[in-house]
């Protein structure tokens, strides 16, 4: 469906018909954003920027340095250094007037409309935006829990875990085995585990060419599979073995002390084990009582929680429909939420929700691939409209251009998030 | 062959609708003329809707309708995951003049990318599809959707197809579906050496590809101009500001950044032409083509107005 003037005028009229709340009775309306990643930082920045000071925005994020999950695989592969994927919140505070609070949110009182922080502060809100990313499902990989993450890193929240995984790969004995326990659907960044395998293979090919990579995967199929498999064959022939559910990839346990992976009863000794467990919405969503199952259901029109209209949820934590859980998706959803929040709190114009996503992955030097789609909101979900994907057999110039495009995108989206 | 319909009322459908079970299928016929089918796969019910103009159902008795539907129910039999989107592919009111690949994919209910490979496997031995190519042992299929049966000049068609041509029968999607699922059943005497598709999705994918491959070639970059109706649009800056969010996920306003090309401060005509060239595929780049194809004139004008006003 194309957007047109008649449609968005309709949407505007509907918004104006609803009375807009103002600031719990005093001063400027208040928005609290929890989580400073692709969803939260973008939402905070767009609300502050576009409301031109009319809305008081507080961003709650525990980390002073934010490491993007996207491009963290490129750090493992040696294509980026860690500082190049680290970002601070200084510009959001100084240029956009956002109150950046480095603390953990530990409680949400939906009746009083307030957030309690670990440090004791209580923040009232007119609208709350939750963009907490993911947490892991306890017990999804038997033998693994957070206490095992030093021996068997997940590296699926970027930063120290990513550094640890890279250091472990560098310490592998010659001819050693790198194992990955891949996650079941749905999970953050569908091509992420397979881009990671590509980057590990790239590193091992140079440093440890007799090493092996073993993927234990509960899924029949995965994102951009034909493209990855073609690339693995071309660049890393024989190094990577994937065990899917037909061969027991869905029946796996680990022993972090013994460094073993047991696949369908057969015990494998490995040197590095990257366990990426099943995922669920960041814990604060559970604490707020806005989850159903593992995720927070939202309306695609506004990204409002289906369980509390004063709360918007963004990104990986949501159950929204067809969009993959990605930084690009979260950034796209943040702009729809920012528009809806401004409309509700200041009466600004509201337009039909419109989303897009592109996921670039790097297979080897200058061998980039991408998949993307556009989306619109229906009453049921965020629905895919159109899409594209790289093709197998593309020439080297196109793959190089795709990689260079991803580097340009990284500069663009991080500037869009952090100012 | 056709089971006797057991007519019953169905409380969730408007008064006057008929519903019946055909084997495993519950078929619903609302009085508006659209025909819906709900079928079961394991414990999941799937809906399948044939959007047919009401007039085209005039004169169908219930039994005739069941006969007509049986053709489609036959298609549905090997299907598990067919969604409502594919149901829209049944539209007979398809706008065959559209050049928008998204619109074509929606109308045909398939994926042109999959269709390329399927065309190679199933069709390419006997059919070419390039615009000026000679017919092989089968006729050239460039532009076949929507043209008359037997429409390639000088091709030695079978008597069956000549008869269709004489009767003025068109290869609309409906007729192509029936023919491609069961060539001999639909057109006794056809000389096409093909047994029909087992999986209707393969057929939808191939038709999507044929439609896409039959598009006029993309214009040359540099030859696109702003049409008067776009030039006449008053770009809504507030709307452009909202839409710009999609652009800023990749493009950068910071001149120091080594990102993608900056797009602010452009002349509005240049900006519109750039988007039109992506939309018409005169410029390559899949993400930009996708973005531009989702923009109508109102959106293009709004974005040009917003970015043009930025420093």
């Amino acid at each position: 469906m194309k957007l047109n003037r008649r449609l968005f005028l309709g949407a505007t009229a509907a918004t104006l018909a609803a009375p807009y709340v103002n600031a719990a009775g005093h001063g400027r309306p208040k928005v609290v954003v929890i989580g400073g990643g692709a969803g939260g930082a973008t939402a905070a920045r767009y609300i502050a920027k576009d409301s031109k000071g009319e809305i008081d925005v507080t961003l709650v994020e525990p980390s002073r340095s934010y490491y993007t999950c996207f491009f963290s695989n490129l750090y493992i592969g040696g294509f980026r250094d860690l500082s190049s994927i680290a970002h601070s919140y200084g510009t959001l505070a100084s240029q956009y007037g956002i109150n950046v609070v480095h603390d953990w949110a530990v409680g949400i009182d939906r009746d009083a409309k307030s957030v309690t922080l670990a440090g004791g502060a209580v923040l009232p809100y007119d609208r709350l935006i939750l963009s907490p990313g993911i947490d892991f499902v306890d017990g999804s990989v038997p033998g693994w829990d957070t206490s095992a993450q030093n021996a068997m890193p997940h590296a699926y929240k970027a930063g120290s875990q990513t550094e640890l995984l890279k250091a472990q790969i560098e310490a592998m004995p010659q001819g050693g085995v790198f194992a990955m326990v891949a996650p079941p659907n749905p999970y953050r960044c569908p091509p992420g585990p397979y881009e990671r395998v590509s980057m590990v293979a790239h590193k091992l090919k140079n440093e440890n060419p007799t090493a092996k990579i073993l993927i234990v995967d509960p899924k029949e199929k995965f994102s951009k599979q034909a493209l990855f498999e073609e690339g693995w064959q071309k660049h890393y022939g024989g190094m990577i073995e994937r065990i899917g559910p037909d061969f027991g990839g869905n029946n796996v346990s680990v022993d972090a002390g013994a460094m073993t992976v047991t696949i369908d009863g057969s015990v494998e000794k490995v040197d590095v084990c990257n366990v990426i467990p099943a995922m669920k919405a960041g814990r604060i969503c559970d604490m707020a009582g806005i989850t159903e199952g593992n995720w927070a259901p939202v309306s695609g029109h506004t990204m409002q929680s289906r369980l509390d209209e004063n709360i918007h949820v963004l990104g990986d934590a949501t159950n929204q429909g067809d969009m993959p859980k990605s930084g690009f998706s979260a950034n796209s959803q943040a702009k729809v939420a920012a528009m809806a929040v401004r409309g509700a709190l200041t009466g600004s114009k509201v337009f039909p929700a419109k989303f897009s996503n592109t996921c670039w992955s790097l297979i080897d030097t200058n061998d980039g691939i991408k998949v993307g789609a556009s989306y619109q909101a229906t009453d049921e979900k965020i629905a895919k409209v159109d899409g594209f994907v790289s093709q197998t057999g593309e020439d080297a110039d196109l793959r190089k251009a795709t990689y260079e495009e991803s580097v340009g995108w990284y500069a663009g989206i991080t500037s869009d998030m952090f100012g | 062959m056709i089971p006797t319909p057991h007519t019953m009322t169905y409380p969730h459908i408007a008064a006057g609708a008929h519903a019946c079970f055909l084997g495993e299928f519950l078929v619903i016929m609302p009085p508006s003329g659209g025909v819906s089918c709900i079928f079961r796969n394991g414990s999941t019910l799937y809906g399948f809707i044939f959007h047919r103009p009401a007039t085209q159902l005039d004169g169908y008795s219930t039994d005739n309708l069941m006969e007509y539907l049986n053709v489609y129910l036959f298609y549905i039999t090997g299907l598990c995951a067919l969604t409502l989107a594919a149901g829209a592919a049944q539209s007979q009111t398809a706008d065959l003049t559209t050049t928008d690949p998204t619109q074509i994919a929606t109308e045909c209910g398939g994926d042109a990318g999959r269709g390329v490979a399927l065309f190679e496997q199933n069709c390419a031995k006997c059919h070419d599809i390039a615009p000026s190519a000679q017919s092989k042992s089968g006729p050239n299929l460039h532009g076949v959707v929507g043209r008359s049966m037997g429409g390639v000049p000088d091709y030695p068609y079978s008597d069956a197809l000549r008869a269709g041509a004489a009767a003025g029968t068109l290869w609309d999607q409906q007729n192509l579906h029936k023919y491609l699922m069961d060539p001999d059943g639909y057109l006794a005497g056809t000389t096409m050496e093909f047994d029909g598709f087992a999986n209707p999705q393969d057929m939808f994918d191939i038709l999507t590809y044929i439609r896409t491959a039959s598009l006029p070639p993309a214009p040359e970059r540099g030859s696109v101009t702003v049409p008067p109706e776009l030039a006449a649009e008053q770009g809504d800056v507030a709307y452009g500001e909202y839409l710009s969010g999609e652009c800023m996920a990749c493009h950068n306003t910071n001149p120091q950044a080594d990102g993608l090309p900056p797009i602010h401060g452009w002349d509005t005509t240049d900006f519109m032409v750039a988007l039109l060239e992506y939309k018409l595929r005169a410029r390559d780049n899949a993400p930009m083509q996708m973005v531009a194809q989702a923009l109508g004139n109102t959106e293009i004008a709004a974005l040009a107005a917003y970015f043009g006003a930025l420093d």
Side-chain angles (χ1 to χ4, degrees):
Chain A
M1 182 190 72
K2 301 272 193 302
L3 305 177
N4 63 43
R5 187 178 295 275
R6 187 167 47 82
L7 257 173
F8 77 67
L9 288 178
T12 309
T15 308
L16 291 175
Y20 42 90
V21 194
N22 204 349
H26 50 85
R28 296 184 294 164
K30 292 183 194 305
V31 172
V32 175
V33 182
I34 298 178
T42 306
R45 179 168 166 269
Y46 271 70
I47 293 170
K49 171 172 79 76
D50 294 343
S51 73
K52 300 175 177 67
E54 280 187 62
I55 296 177
D56 182 327
V57 183
T58 299
L59 176 62
V60 179
E61 163 60 47
S63 312
R64 283 174 169 72
S65 274
Y66 181 85
Y67 295 90
T68 57
C69 259
F70 44 94
F71 274 38
S72 66
N73 285 329
L74 273 60
Y75 158 73
I76 292 173
F79 291 89
R80 303 285 288 214
D81 58 32
L82 197 62
S83 64
S84 79
I85 61 165
H87 303 270
S88 80
Y89 296 91
T91 309
L92 293 184
S94 63
Q95 299 285 308
Y96 296 91
I98 295 166
N99 177 26
V100 180
V101 179
H102 292 300
D103 201 344
W104 284 93
V106 293
I108 291 170
D109 184 334
R110 281 164 46 189
D111 295 327
K113 294 208 281 179
S114 66
V115 176
T116 303
L117 304 182
V122 176
L123 305 172
Y125 65 81
D126 293 301
R127 286 290 170 108
L128 174 63
I129 296 179
L130 295 181
S131 189
I134 51 105
D135 271 308
F136 300 118
V137 175
D138 288 339
S140 69
V141 178
W144 192 93
D145 61 21
T146 307
S147 71
Q149 74 173 20
N150 229 30
M152 294 186 167
H154 54 77
Y156 232 64
K157 298 178 186 183
S160 54
Q161 276 275 303
T162 324
E163 282 186 276
L164 175 63
L165 184 65
K166 185 175 186 179
Q168 290 181 352
I169 296 165
E170 286 167 355
M172 271 170 69
Q174 287 297 310
V177 176
F178 171 96
M180 169 188 282
V181 178
N185 291 321
Y187 62 95
R188 160 179 285 180
C189 189
Y194 310 97
E195 180 188 59
R196 174 169 296 169
V197 162
S198 308
M199 292 294 94
V200 172
H202 171 81
K203 187 172 175 61
L204 291 175
K205 188 174 153 185
N206 294 324
E207 298 169 7
N208 190 345
T210 55
K212 294 285 179 205
I213 296 174
L214 179 64
I215 310 167
V216 188
D217 202 332
K219 302 182 294 298
E220 294 276 355
K221 296 185 294 187
F222 61 87
S223 171
K224 296 189 267 194
Q225 181 163 358
L227 295 162
F228 278 115
E229 288 179 346
E230 177 193 55
W232 293 345
Q233 191 59 40
K234 179 178 171 191
H235 301 296
Y236 314 118
M239 182 182 267
I240 300 165
E241 183 192 356
R242 175 171 171 270
I243 299 177
D246 293 351
F247 295 91
N250 55 351
N251 178 17
V252 63
S253 63
V254 297
D255 182 332
M259 283 304 288
T260 56
V261 182
T262 304
I263 305 156
D264 217 13
S266 149
V267 181
E268 303 280 339
K269 180 89 178 75
V270 301
D271 298 290
V272 176
C273 191
N274 176 203
V275 175
I276 309 175
M279 298 175 201
K280 61 180 184 179
R283 202 159 285 119
I284 193 75
C285 290
D286 256 343
M287 291 161 65
I290 55 156
T291 52
E292 281 178 357
N294 284 334
W295 309 101
V298 293
S299 155
H301 295 298
T302 56
M303 301 307 293
Q304 272 165 304
S305 163
R306 296 225 188 246
L307 304 178
D308 186 335
E309 63 180 14
N310 295 314
I311 301 179
H312 300 248
V313 194
L314 303 176
D316 297 349
T318 59
N319 175 8
Q320 36 68 24
D322 295 349
M323 294 184 83
K325 298 183 186 299
S326 73
F328 199 126
S329 292
N331 169 267
S332 178
Q333 293 162 9
K335 293 161 191 172
V336 168
M339 170 191 66
V341 165
R342 287 197 301 118
L345 298 182
T346 68
S348 66
K349 254 193 196 174
V350 176
F351 303 100
K354 188 173 181 303
F355 307 90
S356 55
N357 175 63
T358 299
C359 291
W360 287 268
S361 304
L362 186 60
I363 302 177
D364 197 356
T365 308
N366 287 327
D367 192 358
I369 54 174
K370 60 187 169 185
V371 59
S374 57
Y375 304 86
Q376 67 189 16
T378 67
D379 290 344
E380 292 78 40
K381 65 173 185 176
I382 297 179
K384 182 175 168 181
V385 177
D386 186 17
F388 63 87
V389 61
S390 296
Q391 301 296 308
T392 52
E394 286 174 342
D395 66 45
D397 288 346
L398 178 55
R399 290 297 178 87
K400 181 165 186 278
T402 300
Y403 170 62
E404 286 166 355
E405 183 179 273
S406 76
V407 174
W409 162 75
Y410 186 89
I413 195 168
T414 51
S415 158
D416 201 36
M417 289 162 62
F418 300 105
Chain B
M1 190 62 199
I2 301 168
T4 310
H6 167 62
T7 304
M8 56 181 274
T9 53
Y10 193 72
H12 303 298
I13 304 294
H18 292 285
C20 64
F21 282 102
L22 257 182
E24 284 240 80
F25 305 112
L26 174 65
V27 179
I28 299 160
M29 290 162 282
S32 61
V35 178
S36 304
C37 169
I38 293 177
F39 62 97
R40 182 189 298 277
N41 172 40
S43 59
T44 307
L45 287 175
Y46 289 90
F48 195 81
I49 298 172
F50 310 127
H51 296 282
R52 310 243 323 168
T55 52
Q56 295 195 358
L57 293 177
D58 286 349
Y60 275 93
S61 69
T62 303
D63 285 348
N64 283 342
L65 199 55
M66 297 324 300
E67 187 169 0
Y68 163 76
L69 270 174
N70 205 47
V71 175
Y72 284 95
L73 293 173
F74 161 69
Y75 296 174
I76 295 164
T77 313
L79 277 194
C80 294
L82 192 64
T83 62
L84 285 170
Q90 308 302 324
S91 172
Q92 250 201 336
T93 54
D95 170 16
L96 292 171
T97 60
T98 184
T99 56
D100 179 346
T102 314
Q103 182 68 24
I104 289 171
T106 307
E107 286 178 5
C108 297
D111 178 310
R114 280 196 73 227
V116 178
L118 288 164
F119 188 90
E120 281 301 314
Q121 277 168 33
N122 291 286
C123 319
K125 191 162 154 255
C126 303
H127 294 283
D128 213 322
I129 194 172
S132 55
Q134 294 291 309
S135 292
K136 296 180 174 176
S137 59
N140 186 315
L141 295 180
H142 189 86
V144 67
V145 183
R147 85 180 168 207
S148 161
M149 275 189 184
V152 174
D154 302 329
Y155 178 80
Y157 284 102
S158 62
D159 290 344
L161 272 151
R162 285 175 200 275
T169 312
L170 291 183
W171 277 136
D172 59 24
Q173 299 202 101
Q174 216 85 26
N175 289 335
L176 282 167
H177 291 172
K178 294 178 194 167
Y179 185 49
L180 294 174
M181 291 306 288
D182 182 9
D184 293 320
Y186 176 70
L187 200 67
T190 177
T191 50
M192 181 164 77
E193 291 176 13
F194 181 61
D195 294 336
F197 287 100
N199 178 352
Q201 190 60 52
D202 290 352
M203 177 189 65
F204 296 148
D205 291 339
I206 283 182
L207 286 177
T208 307
Y209 165 65
I210 291 176
R211 285 275 308 275
T212 310
S214 301
L215 288 177
E220 288 289 315
R221 184 169 171 170
S223 71
V224 174
T225 53
V226 176
E229 60 275 18
L230 174 54
E233 284 271 351
Q234 292 294 316
D236 178 335
V237 174
Y239 190 28
E241 180 175 49
Y242 163 60
L243 293 170
S244 74
E246 185 175 21
C247 314
M248 301 318 293
C250 301
H251 293 277
N252 208 312
T253 48
N254 176 359
Q256 272 87 51
D258 59 346
L260 298 170
I263 53 172
H264 52 283
W266 282 35
D267 171 76
T268 52
T269 302
D270 292 347
F271 194 96
M272 290 179 185
V273 166
L275 280 178
L276 288 171
E277 286 186 336
Y278 282 117
K279 186 170 177 167
L280 297 170
R281 298 169 289 119
R283 293 193 192 203
D284 285 331
N285 186 280
M288 278 309 304
Q289 289 178 352
M290 181 185 76
V291 165
Q293 279 159 8
L295 302 173
N297 283 345
T298 306
E299 287 71 38
I300 291 176
L303 283 165
Y306 171 72
F307 279 112
L310 292 183
D311 293 333

